[in-house]
Amino acid sequence: MNIPYRNPVLFADWSDPDVIRVGDTYYLTASSFNRVPGLPVLASPDLVDWRILGHALPWLTPREHYRVPRPGCGVWAPALRFHDGRFWICYPDPDHGIFVTTARDPAGPWTPPRLVLPGRGLIDPCPLWDDDGRAYLVHGWARSRCGFNNRLTAYPMSPDLARPLTDGTVIVDGDTIDGCRTLEGPKWYRRDGWYWIFAPGGGVTDGWQYAMRSQHVFGPYEPRIVLARGDTDVNGPHQGAWVDDWFLHFQDRGAFGRVVHLQPLSWDDDGWPEIGDHGTPVAGTGSVRATGPATSDTFDGGRPGPQWTWPANPTGDEILAHSGNGLRLACRPGDDLRRLPAVLGQRLPGPRLRAETGLRLDAPPGSRAGLVVLGRTYAWIGLTHRPDGTYLTCRFAEDHGETEHHGEAEDHGERDAADPVLIPAGAAVRLVLTVTDTAQVRFAAEIDGARWDAFPVFTATPGLWIGATLGLFAIGPGGHADFDRFDVTGSPPS
């Protein structure tokens, strides 16, 4: 590949990326946590410009368990491979175990996921098919689910990965490696007679990348740190994939999530990989920002594009059919948007953006709908229906952790950012928000062409293990909200 690029090549929350090349095309998947559909599958001709092909999981399993949002749960770091004419994804649910799904075509359909290693705390699996046809699987452990971590366990598997052939064996114990902590996310490879495990250590925000090698599949493995922050501003460069002469990894950018960087990879005279600039991240090979997956949407035929997800398994009646384009969301019961299954969202794209859509609310008093930036805190602008009319409303919600709220007195943390504005009946309303590269959000609206923007600045925050969500919602005892085309541009906020 000889194309100028500027990091990050994916400036949004494409967390824990794994990448392979099949023919002339690169394919990427990423952890999706509680987003539905899950396991996005992206394609690129050059590792720089990416588009979404689809998703491997139309819903999360167990299906009823994920009918409500479960932040921090769902799909953790997956592995993508191509073997025996099929694409394979192994992925973990830290509360249920390790699953496998396959497809002939990366765009789908994918087989229903099979639970091949049940148990709590099993995370970040990766398969390896050896030259002799034998199959293996390695995974890490989540302290939050099983009480320990910092070790990698491997199994010999049936060739179709349907079952382990023996009990697991710890092949790397991070506690025996000087300075190692939170060893996880292994990716397993074979090269020139050596077995290689690429695995991150040190945690999401401040970690580093190991390469480990052995001449025997179950070790012992010799570790070396091959990528670390050094004197750069790229914190925690790790957890990614080696493909051809490149290494892709993430960097945690707060509200923008775990963005993806591309680093050159070569091999030194001792047979070890050298990533970036002698083990530190590079900014890229030019000033060209990559073209990311689509964010704008005309909602052709009334349906959202593949960039949109729900925070829980949908029931199927959240989107209402209607003639023409534009999105019609049914008003669903709810209050706190962090607990509402029917927020239609997408990853917050960086480094700067302007998002705009038109809104019409056809619903009884007590209903509201709008445009939201949603994380541990959230803020939205939209319309509320009261007995005396329709109001332009902007509200903020503070972080209340995981505390349950009951009754109207606590109001679920939402507060008016400014006095609501009564709008004329039948007025055309457009909602606008802009986001800076420091995740400062400004809201505005146009009511029959007149601009309203006297709202305080809101600082976006990430969710649990994910970046902030840019979303649309409709709440109420009935009725619906109509959104027209959704336009996102990367121009600097005004």
Side-chain angles (χ1 to χ4, degrees), residues 283-454:
T285 61
S287 60
V288 178
R289 178 71 68 190
T291 301
T295 51
S296 297
D297 199 348
T298 58
F299 302 117
D300 290 346
R303 308 302 299 180
Q307 67 268 39
W308 298 94
T309 60
W310 306 99
N313 284 334
T315 59
D317 56 1
E318 293 85 356
I319 296 174
L320 303 178
H322 66 103
S323 60
N325 298 326
L327 180 73
R328 176 166 291 178
L329 289 182
C331 291
R332 306 297 294 274
D335 33 56
D336 190 322
L337 295 182
R338 289 163 292 205
R339 295 187 172 92
L340 185 68
V343 175
L344 184 66
Q346 59 173 283
R347 293 160 176 83
L348 183 70
R352 296 173 297 276
L353 70 95
R354 173 189 170 96
E356 180 178 354
T357 187
L359 171 62
R360 179 175 178 270
L361 182 58
D362 186 2
S367 301
R368 53 191 166 119
L371 175 62
V372 63
V373 176
L374 177 66
R376 288 185 180 271
T377 61
Y378 68 85
W380 62 271
I381 188 168
L383 299 178
T384 58
H385 272 182
R386 300 180 181 180
D388 62 338
T390 300
Y391 287 79
L392 175 68
T393 305
C394 185
R395 306 203 87 197
F396 292 179
E398 298 177 354
D399 184 7
H400 57 57
E402 295 302 313
T403 303
E404 292 292 336
H405 288 260
H406 302 280
E408 295 182 0
E410 293 180 302
D411 199 25
H412 306 278
E414 279 198 11
R415 296 291 182 268
D416 285 329
D419 290 337
V421 177
L422 181 64
I423 65 173
V429 177
R430 297 199 63 77
L431 309 176
V432 181
L433 65 79
T434 58
V435 184
T436 70
D437 53 7
T438 57
Q440 301 293 299
V441 183
R442 289 187 178 275
F443 292 97
E446 293 180 0
I447 303 173
D448 281 342
R451 184 175 176 87
W452 294 82
D453 57 8

Side-chain angles (χ1 to χ4, degrees), residues 183-235:
L183 182 67
E184 56 189 357
K187 297 294 183 286
W188 216 348
Y189 306 96
R190 187 85 193 270
R191 179 183 186 270
D192 293 342
W194 289 87
Y195 296 93
W196 287 91
I197 293 176
F198 283 56
V204 170
T205 58
D206 302 298
W208 53 86
Q209 180 69 34
Y210 288 106
M212 305 178 181
R213 69 180 183 183
S214 175
Q215 291 188 317
H216 304 281
V217 67
F218 284 95
Y221 280 85
E222 176 189 3
R224 178 177 293 188
I225 294 175
V226 292
L227 184 67
R229 178 174 185 166
D231 60 359
T232 74
D233 61 357
V234 182
N235 60 297

Side-chain angles (χ1 to χ4, degrees), residues 64-315:
E64 290 304 315
H65 178 75
Y66 285 107
R67 287 293 188 191
V68 297
R70 297 185 182 274
C73 301
V75 177
W76 286 24
L80 173 63
R81 291 293 182 266
F82 184 76
H83 170 73
D84 195 26
R86 300 189 69 88
F87 292 83
W88 303 69
I89 296 179
C90 297
Y91 76 90
D93 181 318
D95 298 305
H96 296 95
I98 290 171
F99 296 80
V100 174
T101 179
T102 71
R104 292 287 183 187
D105 184 336
W110 290 77
T111 59
R114 294 176 297 165
L115 180 61
V116 298
L117 284 175
R120 282 179 57 84
L122 286 70
I123 61 169
D124 306 353
C126 185
L128 174 72
W129 286 272
D130 210 341
D131 297 338
D132 59 7
R134 295 181 181 179
Y136 304 92
L137 188 75
V138 64
H139 69 81
W141 296 90
R143 182 187 297 274
S144 61
R145 275 24 181 225
C146 61
F148 64 89
N149 67 353
N150 208 36
R151 66 191 68 170
L152 306 180
T153 298
Y155 302 76
M157 301 289 291
S158 60
D160 61 358
L161 303 183
R163 65 188 188 282
L165 302 181
T166 68
D167 292 337
T169 300
V170 175
I171 60 172
V172 180
D173 184 348
D175 291 345
T176 67
I177 301 172
D178 186 33
C180 180
R181 55 184 170 83
T182 320
L183 182 67
E184 56 189 357
K187 297 294 183 286
W188 216 348
Y189 306 96
R190 187 85 193 270
R191 179 183 186 270
D192 293 342
W194 289 87
Y195 296 93
W196 287 91
I197 293 176
F198 283 56
V204 170
T205 58
D206 302 298
W208 53 86
Q209 180 69 34
Y210 288 106
M212 305 178 181
R213 69 180 183 183
S214 175
Q215 291 188 317
H216 304 281
V217 67
F218 284 95
Y221 280 85
E222 176 189 3
R224 178 177 293 188
I225 294 175
V226 292
L227 184 67
R229 178 174 185 166
D231 60 359
T232 74
D233 61 357
V234 182
N235 60 297
H238 67 283
Q239 181 99 348
W242 161 40
V243 58
D244 295 340
D245 296 325
W246 299 93
F247 183 75
L248 287 94
H249 65 89
F250 75 66
Q251 174 198 13
D252 187 276
R253 292 290 294 265
F256 294 109
R258 302 177 190 179
V259 305
V260 179
H261 289 241
L262 178 64
Q263 305 293 334
L265 182 150
S266 59
W267 299 86
D268 68 17
D269 293 340
D270 295 325
W272 286 92
E274 186 174 280
I275 299 175
D277 180 11
H278 301 286
T280 59
V282 300
T285 61
S287 60
V288 178
R289 178 71 68 190
T291 301
T295 51
S296 297
D297 199 348
T298 58
F299 302 117
D300 290 346
R303 308 302 299 180
Q307 67 268 39
W308 298 94
T309 60
W310 306 99
N313 284 334
T315 59

